[in-house]
Amino acid sequence: MDQKPDSFCDIENIAINILKDSRSYGIFPTPVDKILNYTELKINTQNDLSSIEPSFISKAFNAFVLAKRKVLGLLDYFNKEIYIDSTQNYNKKRFIKLHETGHKVIPWQQEIMEYYVDDKRTLDPDTKELFESEANYFASSTLFQLNIFDEESKKLPLSIESPIFLAKKFGASNHASIRRYVEHSQNSCALLVFEEINLDGKNKIRVRNYFQSKSFTKQFGELIWPENMDNKYPFMYYVYLKKKKPVDGEFSFLLKSEVSTKFQFQYYNNGFNTFVFIRPIGEFNK
């Protein structure tokens, strides 16, 4: 697990102050447009990034730049405008709006650039670019209202169904909600995220991400998954089948200590990615 940058604590303070001052704290789903209004930002509805002419931005963002990147969000800092690719789904657009807001309200990012241009890479929670990582953290912290999501999680069963329920409540994607649920859980749990890629003309299933709660890591260490799982684990049958209906089951895993340990799993496919939620046998939300 990568350590968070020191700036993240400051960003949490910025997020909570904006939530409270805009009277958005404790309002569900998180009122993104209300937050934009408070920060004096507006959405440019005249230009859609999915079909925009590259020349409209400035000389700095010519056809070559935009041709290389499918731009999903853009902040025009000095005109206080956000541009959005309207073809993105509802929850993705909400996250992009907050990401661009982050670029504006994080003090040390202000006036550094006239434009912040964001694509799939910069909006990825695992991006290595510091400013983009900070904007993502602001967006996530604001969307999930920091400790409110975590406190709500404690009231629900230790199950993948809990973050899916909370996703609807907060107005977030299932993927982001499940990830936060695991990473912030006080219980022992972990999450495998699978994706399908095309490699040499063939579709292959691979692990996109793997996350563990701190309690899980303390109890079992870091689980190392083989690159090619095939059908070694029972949940892989459902992963390859792309089964839509959630499935529960059990599997054994050989730890680094050479001890074979049994875990429970919950399989879930949201149409974009496949998730396998893992918890120790008998682990439940206290």
Side-chain angles (χ1 to χ4, degrees), residues 37-195:
N37 185 58
Y38 173 77
T39 56
E40 299 180 337
L41 285 169
K42 59 181 180 291
I43 302 297
N44 185 306
T45 56
Q46 303 302 313
N47 297 285
D48 185 342
L49 287 179
S50 64
S51 58
I52 205 164
E53 286 296 324
S55 59
F56 101 98
I57 304 175
S58 74
K59 295 184 231 178
F61 295 97
N62 54 36
F64 175 77
V65 173
L66 290 179
K68 289 287 184 180
R69 300 172 63 182
K70 179 174 170 52
V71 181
L72 303 179
L74 185 149
L75 171 67
D76 180 346
Y77 182 85
F78 294 109
N79 289 316
K80 299 180 180 180
E81 287 188 320
I82 293 174
Y83 296 80
I84 296 283
D85 178 347
S86 66
T87 63
Q88 301 302 300
N89 66 46
Y90 175 73
N91 288 328
K92 185 67 174 180
K93 285 187 284 190
R94 282 166 55 81
F95 184 86
I96 293 171
K97 289 177 184 179
L98 289 175
H99 176 98
E100 304 307 337
T101 303
H103 283 311
K104 179 182 183 291
V105 301
I106 296 172
W108 53 91
Q109 292 195 20
Q110 294 174 2
E111 301 184 27
I112 297 294
M113 298 175 65
E114 183 178 355
Y115 294 100
Y116 282 95
V117 181
D118 292 294
D119 56 12
K120 184 178 179 181
R121 176 180 54 83
T122 61
L123 291 163
D124 188 323
D126 297 312
T127 183
K128 300 303 181 185
E129 296 181 31
L130 181 59
F131 273 19
E132 302 303 343
S133 178
E134 290 174 339
N136 280 334
Y137 191 71
F138 171 84
S140 177
S141 297
T142 308
L143 187 60
F144 291 114
Q145 302 193 35
L146 297 128
N147 62 312
I148 291 187
F149 181 92
D150 303 333
E151 290 302 317
E152 291 293 307
S153 298
K154 295 175 185 177
K155 302 174 186 177
L156 301 171
L158 184 62
S159 165
I160 198 169
E161 295 168 354
S162 295
I164 293 172
F165 167 78
L166 291 174
K168 295 177 182 177
K169 178 170 183 174
F170 285 81
S173 69
N174 284 336
H175 191 161
S177 301
I178 298 169
R179 173 175 179 161
R180 185 179 182 91
Y181 179 80
V182 170
E183 289 188 316
H184 288 244
S185 178
Q186 293 183 340
N187 294 95
S188 288
C189 57
L191 178 71
L192 278 165
V193 185
F194 293 91
E195 65 178 354

